[in-house]
Amino acid sequence: MKKLEALIRPERLEPVMEGLRSLGYPGATITEVKGHGKQKGVTHMWRGAGYRLEFLPKVKLEVVVLDEDLQRVINAVVKAARTGAIGDGKIFVYEVADAVRIRTGESGFQAI
Amino acid sequence: MKKLEALIRPERLEPVMEGLRSLGYPGATITEVKGHGKQKGVTHMWRGAGYRLEFLPKVKLEVVVLDEDLQRVINAVVKAARTGAIGDGKIFVYEVADAVRIRTGESGFQAI
Amino acid sequence: MKKLEALIRPERLEPVMEGLRSLGYPGATITEVKGHGKQKGVTHMWRGAGYRLEFLPKVKLEVVVLDEDLQRVINAVVKAARTGAIGDGKIFVYEVADAVRIRTGESGFQAI
Amino acid sequence: MRRFIVLAMFLLLMMVLMVTPALAEEAGEAKTPQGIETSLDTVWVLIAAALVFFMQAGFFFLEGGLTRAKNVSNAMLKGAMDFCLGALIFWAVGFALMFGADRGGFLGTGGFFANMADPQWNGLPLYVFLFFQIAFAGAAATILAGGIAERFKFGAYCIATVTITGLIYPVVGHWIWAEGGWLYRLGMLDFAGSTVVHTVGGICALVGAWMVGPRAGKYDPDGTPRAIPGHNIPMAALGTFILWLGWYGFNPGSTLKASPAIATVAMTTTLAASAGGAVAMFLTWARYGKPDVSMSMNGILAGLVAVTAGCAYVSMVSAFAIGLVAGVLVVFAVEFVDRRLRVDDPVGAVSVHAVNGIWGTIAVGLFAQASYGEANGVAAVNGLFFGGGVAQLGKQLLGIVSVSAWVAVTATLMFLALKKTVGIRVSEESQRVGLDVSEHNLEAYPDFQPAVAEKGGM
Amino acid sequence: MRRFIVLAMFLLLMMVLMVTPALAEEAGEAKTPQGIETSLDTVWVLIAAALVFFMQAGFFFLEGGLTRAKNVSNAMLKGAMDFCLGALIFWAVGFALMFGADRGGFLGTGGFFANMADPQWNGLPLYVFLFFQIAFAGAAATILAGGIAERFKFGAYCIATVTITGLIYPVVGHWIWAEGGWLYRLGMLDFAGSTVVHTVGGICALVGAWMVGPRAGKYDPDGTPRAIPGHNIPMAALGTFILWLGWYGFNPGSTLKASPAIATVAMTTTLAASAGGAVAMFLTWARYGKPDVSMSMNGILAGLVAVTAGCAYVSMVSAFAIGLVAGVLVVFAVEFVDRRLRVDDPVGAVSVHAVNGIWGTIAVGLFAQASYGEANGVAAVNGLFFGGGVAQLGKQLLGIVSVSAWVAVTATLMFLALKKTVGIRVSEESQRVGLDVSEHNLEAYPDFQPAVAEKGGM
Amino acid sequence: MRRFIVLAMFLLLMMVLMVTPALAEEAGEAKTPQGIETSLDTVWVLIAAALVFFMQAGFFFLEGGLTRAKNVSNAMLKGAMDFCLGALIFWAVGFALMFGADRGGFLGTGGFFANMADPQWNGLPLYVFLFFQIAFAGAAATILAGGIAERFKFGAYCIATVTITGLIYPVVGHWIWAEGGWLYRLGMLDFAGSTVVHTVGGICALVGAWMVGPRAGKYDPDGTPRAIPGHNIPMAALGTFILWLGWYGFNPGSTLKASPAIATVAMTTTLAASAGGAVAMFLTWARYGKPDVSMSMNGILAGLVAVTAGCAYVSMVSAFAIGLVAGVLVVFAVEFVDRRLRVDDPVGAVSVHAVNGIWGTIAVGLFAQASYGEANGVAAVNGLFFGGGVAQLGKQLLGIVSVSAWVAVTATLMFLALKKTVGIRVSEESQRVGLDVSEHNLEAYPDFQPAVAEKGGM
Ligand SMILES: Nc1ncnc2c1ncn2[C@@H]1O[C@H](COP(=O)(O)OP(=O)(O)O)[C@@H](O)[C@H]1O
Ligand SMILES: Nc1ncnc2c1ncn2[C@@H]1O[C@H](COP(=O)(O)OP(=O)(O)O)[C@@H](O)[C@H]1O
Ligand SMILES: Nc1ncnc2c1ncn2[C@@H]1O[C@H](COP(=O)(O)OP(=O)(O)O)[C@@H](O)[C@H]1O
């Protein structure tokens, strides 16, 4: 099992989820995060003084998948999340040592 | 060392923390996330139009434990978080390569 | 590649980011989390009844780095985040199996 | 529930058909001093009534601010609907019971839908008097909302509020404010309604909060109360100041007449409110180590409630003293209700309105000065502290006891009946997700991330 | 844009230089009954005007609460600026067009910058009349804001609002309220402005919302509307109650005179609002399964808008009936506009103000009773239901049709001109980040974490 | 601190015992024109005072909205308590110093606790005059709150506010508004208090903000200011509009008499506010590229402050011009205070109240027209622009200089004394967690996730 952690633009969440569903992975966890990368922050104004928001809102999407599905899932996420502009985000992949479904106590790949 | 990442119902947080404490793991990090799984979203109404919230609020609880305590911690979390209904959540386990306590600089299992 | 996950005091975020930048790692993801550890919660009052906030606000900073930079990055974070008092936080390190830059599709260390 | 809705709509429609339209009063050509005076009184009472009306918003903001985000839309709708329904029922029924032809000192009758023979009420156009009374009835009813917040069924609340405005409150109003009322004739004094409005509302809140039971998680198994912090302090602060503003209609407006007396009443009101707020702030500072914001706001309201009965009978200094005592009382009362009675009253409705309504009514028997009553053109009575002996105090106590008994009994019967029929308490699950979702399918703040509750008791 | 700003500032400065200062009226020594009466009328109309002024805050809070957090600062500034700019332009131009010497029943002229020969207006000091009219003009203009919320360019909004207050609204006002106006002479009745203010504002909102197009994401490709929940329900509730409070200036104040008639008007206003709110609540309960908070608030406003035309001509029971119908109308109108017309009206401005403005104007032709009009010192007319036949109804309908046509045409031309020049719709990207950032470089709530939108249609 | 609390409570109690109750005035049977007139004046001044009272809520909402979420409960309590404590102290002491028997033109004496021989004040019931003055004193004191927001000790604030209301403000009031006051006799004109209220409050804010030092993180080591955005723009907008509403009591109410003059005053007030808001909006648009919301709100307030001195002496066009200048001034003043003076004034209290209070006072010397003063029944004076030469201007300047000197000196002494004793600045750690937690053990919004501050300077 692998965990795929995608940092994407908030407005791309819906198409990405769509893509995951079509691959049979409806389950996922999302977190609102702020990201900093190549993309420059935005400048706001407050009573005549400018200030930069260095971090921009991103969504972190976590989905645990079976090893054999990994590449397909990555491709689907990349396809749905890409706009081609700076700030599209990244995907990181981690090894998952184990998984447990709390409701049933099942573990391993059955828990996904 | 292993990291245990449990996605649980917000209202089960207190009993789960209780369980961890009794196993000698008072330290933990929680994040408010939204989850999607087998559990169906809820329908709200806005001025006559229904809309679904596809993601439901969950708590992500992260606790890093020694390898030897892993199973006991998993069991405790499962026990405290389970209601038996869909939406009870999942636990994922990851290998931790290293840990550092910032205050002292200690690393490895001493840092936990 | 390694992921460094630092749980730090919110007010230390700026110096830590400063440190990372100087090591050539401007990219990072932050999440607002709540932490529980050795540090005691705070007591608030509500209409004559006290209540404890067991969890204190922390920032989770995630940054994926090349293996060779790991130690230097850890040192920089520890240096910038440390106050010496309880509650300074922890760093956990994880192995990253892969990374993908969504914009370009590049993967591996080129994606960082 | 659907049956209940259909019934309600049917009843509303019935009203249209049932009633013969009243003839409006004639608009006197306002050229004579007499005519100008009537116009002036009308303007004054109308503006006062509008300010009292606006207190509804004060009440629902206070409640909303002192409770959790997940129940705030429910608080808004309760506050809006208790006025809408209350205004209709008070117009249709309550006003007649309160000010219609007296029956044995207990109840008025006649004049349903404000169909009264005389288009004037003591020289005041009937409709402005009615408007003023509707605003008061709304205040009496909405006090309940705060006490039973975060766990009461919305439908049951609607029925309760209609019962209070249509029956429980007008009967008390008749006793004390209608010329034939038995307490009125006895000489009990309650100038602007410490008893009529606040004790009535406060006791309804007490009975309701007690019968519906505490919010889930409010008490540990061993009975220790847990803090459930309100979600928006500025909202509660604005609510308090809207209420205070409204009180400048509530108290001086109760003269029902534009006269210099309103100046005196405005000042007693100001001093009592200020004293109540100041003392509650200092007292919580001493007791809890830091000045407490929501209790200080309650202190202001306690001072206002307490001076309401006596505002036209007492001196400035007495008003100040009444406010001081009120500010102390409210702090201890909140603790007492929470810890000893174990009644869960999220906003302090019982302590502010019932306790201080009673205190204010007693205070008239202590602090009244004939010179003030006379100057203000109301009853000239001396209280215990000003050489009047215990005569007036006795009347005040009798009034308090009778009213409390009436309200306690009728409110208990009402909540019992509701409990047996539609039910009054929402499920634990509904409380968990919040009444906004469970009762209204709505989130109050969908754009914001709610924080996980992780509060511990102490 | 910069050129536009410079131009605007230049115009503002021109005003200073262009005008000869008017001589103020003499302050009569208020000792005679006559003098006192004038003072009393001045006090009453001034307070009424202040309450109507405060409705601006009600409007911008209602809009802000029913839309998303990322556009709320824009809503605030729109509401503030349409009053600031509107007051200036109405003083400079609008007032003269509305109440200046009549030209053929269509338009007033003369009296720009309130330079009128007579310092009085029917016995009322000219300036308090002007203040009252400015507050009304502000209300008419700000209705647009809610309808075009979350996607309209701020600069274009400023120009639109100035055009409404300076031209579109005063012309209608002249027709119906100025003594020479053709509808006035015909005998069309609109006591406090169901047509003059609300239909005008509502139709501007309809045209504007239609021409600017729906918010990004509001309609699926197949035309199914998606819900875009408002971000702050208590804010909308407070807005509603501020508006209701303001209506006690709006309707009774339209007597422009302190007289007992204001009592009757205050009560008809109260009953219609209450009926509208109550029925909308029950109706949504029946239709959607649970009582809907924001629609109930709309129901209150619908009742208020509907009774505005007839508040001085109808009985209590009729007012109640008018409110009942309004509460039903608003619920169905919101659905109709959203689903059938596919016009995206985030706050229901069209349903509340246009639909119920029309209904209220018609209602005069149905429910008017000569006895009420007479008692209130206004036109004594009987409507269809009270033996007056269809005569009055015909006049009302003629008025509605003419006004709607005038507004529809002028508003369309105005928005077209804006579209061709400065543009009216912000980009999709601006909508995504929100107008607060794109139009004002500001976040309304920087201290709070916004939640990711993840709503699905149904 | 505990000792301070005990002392305060003791002092409060002392008041009860110390004072002989005043005899209330007689309520004249209001049948004669004379009697009706008094009643009318009472109603008018009472309502005006209630509106001014409500400005407290406007002030604390403005401050709360323009500062951070972690300090908002503190802002609420400051605003509530400066009124509560201020009302008590002004009743006990301030009123006597301001309006008691004159001593050498400098100070009033006698009439503590409003124990004055005459129950009337120029024909107005003493108590309504007192109520009006209390509301004014509250406004003068609460201006400080915004300037020292987010870093001032709550206890020290309480003492400061009592000192302002009890001493600093009444002395100025005596000079300018009491018949024996030296500036009054000299003929300095400040109709509703640009100097008496706003300059006094604004200079207190300036001295306080300067002495307490900037908020942690406000200035970079090199002195560059960093933006610290406010947490809730709608809150600030509502605050602004509550203030504007209150100004319709503040300015026209200062006639202390119901007369047609209030109409003129209401209109000058409206035009100046509108001009100030409009010009600030356009100016920020031109300077910063986009129209700035909070500065536009400040522009409205600047216009209001500036017209306060002259509202009864100037024409409509002049009021418009005064507002225009005010709107420009406030924008540059905010930048100047922030960048050049490096005084950290989170809400712009200095720029709005001190700068424009001074400008408004000067404006009387420029724009006054005898015809207006006469028509409004106040002093008939021509300013520089209307043929009056520099005479009046000189008096105005003398007044400004004397008042500024008095306030600057006494405020400095006061803050110094506080600094040496209880201290005025909370620790950096307290600022970091916020005053809500550190001073009141409270979170204002526990249900919401606060966002981590991650702002950078530029
Ligand atoms: N080294 C890193 N470690 C962790 N997260 C990162 C790292 N670099 C980038 N990110 C995350 O990825 C997001 C997008 O990065 P960015 O460089 O702007 O994307 P892109 O290169 O695709 O334009 C950032 O907002 C941040 O959340
Ligand atoms: N494949 C997955 N990857 C990541 N998180 C998941 C995955 N599947 C489920 N989750 C998380 O687990 C939560 C519970 O899932 P659900 O299927 O509803 O639980 P259960 O099967 O125990 O009833 C979800 O809300 C989501 O946060
Ligand atoms: N075992 C653990 N697993 C996960 N997170 C932990 C663990 N222990 C501590 N933390 C995180 O680290 C933070 C700091 O812990 P604490 O023990 O207070 O620090 P320190 O020992 O440096 O004073 C906590 O708030 C929590 O977020």
Side-chain angles (χ1 to χ4, degrees), chain E residues 111-142:
Chain E
F112 294 92
F113 296 93
N115 267 322
M116 298 211 168
D118 186 357
Q120 303 242 323
W121 186 269
N122 293 331
L124 199 66
L126 181 67
Y127 284 141
V128 81
F129 180 65
L130 171 61
F131 178 33
F132 191 75
Q133 295 301 334
I134 282 178
F136 266 60
T142 206

Side-chain angles (χ1 to χ4, degrees), chain C residues 30-94:
Chain C
I30 64 167
T31 314
E32 289 166 29
V33 301
K34 303 209 167 163
H36 192 286
K38 290 218 178 57
Q39 193 185 12
K40 286 282 158 301
V42 292
T43 298
H44 284 207
M45 268 294 205
W46 179 252
R47 300 174 72 74
Y51 64 98
R52 287 190 73 75
L53 293 179
E54 294 294 348
F55 291 93
L56 296 174
K58 297 278 169 196
V59 162
K60 183 203 275 186
L61 181 99
E62 290 165 291
V63 53
V64 174
V65 299
L66 298 180
D67 289 345
E68 58 260 37
D69 295 328
L70 179 64
Q71 201 50 52
R72 260 183 300 150
V73 171
I74 289 181
N75 292 347
V77 171
V78 167
K79 193 167 152 234
R82 182 176 329 186
T83 70
I86 278 194
D88 271 355
K90 305 216 163 147
I91 299 173
F92 299 118
V93 180
Y94 306 91

Side-chain angles (χ1 to χ4, degrees), chain D residues 33-34 36-37 40 44 47 54 68-70 229-235 237-238 241-242 244-245 248 252 258-264 266-267 270-271 273-275 277-279 281-283 285-286 288 290-293 296-297 300 315-317 320-321 324 369 371-372 375-377 386 445 448-451 455, chain F residues 1-2 4-5 8-9 12-13 15-16 19 21-28 30-31 33 36 38-40 42-43 46-47 50 53-54 56-57 60-61 72-73 76-77 79-81 83-85 87-88 91 125 127-128 130-131 134 154-155 158 235 238 242 437-449:
Chain D
Q34 181 65 44
I36 299 178
E37 205 187 350
L40 172 58
W44 165 239
I47 294 169
F54 197 47
R68 286 164 294 177
K70 63 185 172 181
H231 86 287
N232 194 324
I233 300 298
M235 196 171 161
L238 181 62
F241 270 69
I242 290 176
W244 190 344
L245 173 69
Y248 290 121
S259 80
I262 63 177
T264 312
M267 270 307 301
T270 303
L271 293 176
S274 299
V279 83
M281 188 267 282
F282 286 123
L283 184 60
W285 201 339
Y288 312 150
K290 297 189 178 170
D292 189 280
V293 179
S296 302
M297 299 292 168
I300 288 171
S315 72
M316 296 301 122
V317 179
F320 172 67
L324 278 191
Q369 279 172 271
S371 54
Y372 279 86
N376 294 327
F386 293 92
Y445 308 107
F448 297 105
Q449 182 95 317
K455 278 117 206 167
Chain F
M1 191 43 74
R2 183 168 279 252
F4 161 69
I5 300 168
M9 298 196 65
L12 285 173
L13 278 160
M15 289 185 185
V16 184
V19 218
L23 254 174
E25 78 281 7
E26 220 165 299
K31 289 284 138 68
I36 299 178
T38 306
S39 294
L40 173 57
T42 309
V43 165
L46 192 153
I47 294 168
F53 155 79
F54 197 48
Q56 291 291 128
F60 67 55
F61 251 50
V72 73
S73 304
M76 300 299 110
L77 196 62
M81 283 304 128
F83 190 86
C84 287
L85 298 172
L88 296 176
W91 162 58
Y127 284 141
V128 81
L130 172 61
F131 178 34
I134 282 178
F154 180 76
C158 288
M235 196 170 160
L238 182 61
I242 290 176
V437 168
S438 68
E439 296 282 274
H440 308 292
N441 247 334
L442 182 72
E443 276 180 298
Y445 308 107
D447 286 10
F448 297 104
Q449 183 96 318

Side-chain angles (χ1 to χ4, degrees), chain F residues 185-354:
Chain F
R185 280 184 304 184
L186 205 80
M188 184 210 170
L189 297 177
D190 181 11
F191 185 67
S194 284
T195 291
V196 179
V197 175
H198 295 284
T199 305
V200 168
I203 291 183
C204 287
L206 175 63
V207 176
W210 167 65
M211 288 192 55
V212 73
R215 289 167 291 174
K218 171 66 198 175
Y219 290 99
D220 279 346
D222 67 351
T224 317
R226 307 185 73 161
I228 303 181
H231 86 287
N232 194 324
I233 299 299
M235 196 170 160
L238 182 61
T240 303
F241 270 69
I242 290 176
L243 287 170
W244 191 343
L245 173 68
W247 241 286
Y248 290 122
F250 207 96
N251 284 1
S254 289
T255 53
L256 294 170
K257 173 138 208 63
S259 79
I262 63 178
T264 312
V265 174
M267 269 309 300
T268 50
T269 302
T270 303
L271 293 177
S274 300
V279 84
M281 188 267 283
F282 285 122
L283 185 59
T284 55
W285 201 339
R287 279 179 71 76
Y288 311 151
K290 297 189 178 172
D292 190 281
V293 179
S294 82
M295 291 301 290
S296 302
M297 298 291 167
N298 273 183
I300 289 171
L301 297 178
L304 288 165
V305 168
V307 86
T308 293
C311 53
Y313 305 112
V314 305
S315 74
M316 296 302 121
V317 179
S318 300
F320 172 67
I322 291 172
L324 278 192
V325 174
V328 173
L329 273 179
V330 77
V331 172
F332 290 104
V334 162
E335 294 182 12
F336 180 80
V337 171
D338 200 41
R339 298 186 198 166
R340 299 281 157 263
L341 293 191
R342 290 192 185 141
V343 165
D344 180 16
D345 175 8
V347 308
V350 175
S351 309
V352 169
H353 299 281

Side-chain angles (χ1 to χ4, degrees), chain A residues 3 25-30 62-65 101-104 106 111-112, chain B residues 5 7-9 33-40 55-58 85-92:
Chain A
K3 174 166 86 168
Y25 282 101
T29 302
I30 64 168
E62 290 166 291
V63 53
V64 174
V65 300
R101 167 172 283 128
I102 293 176
R103 176 163 48 90
T104 57
E106 294 160 284
I112 302 190
Chain B
E5 181 178 291
L7 299 151
I8 59 173
R9 297 179 191 273
V33 300
K34 304 209 168 164
H36 192 286
K38 291 219 177 57
Q39 194 184 10
K40 286 281 159 302
F55 291 93
L56 295 174
K58 297 277 168 196
I86 278 194
D88 272 354
K90 306 217 163 146
I91 299 174
F92 299 118

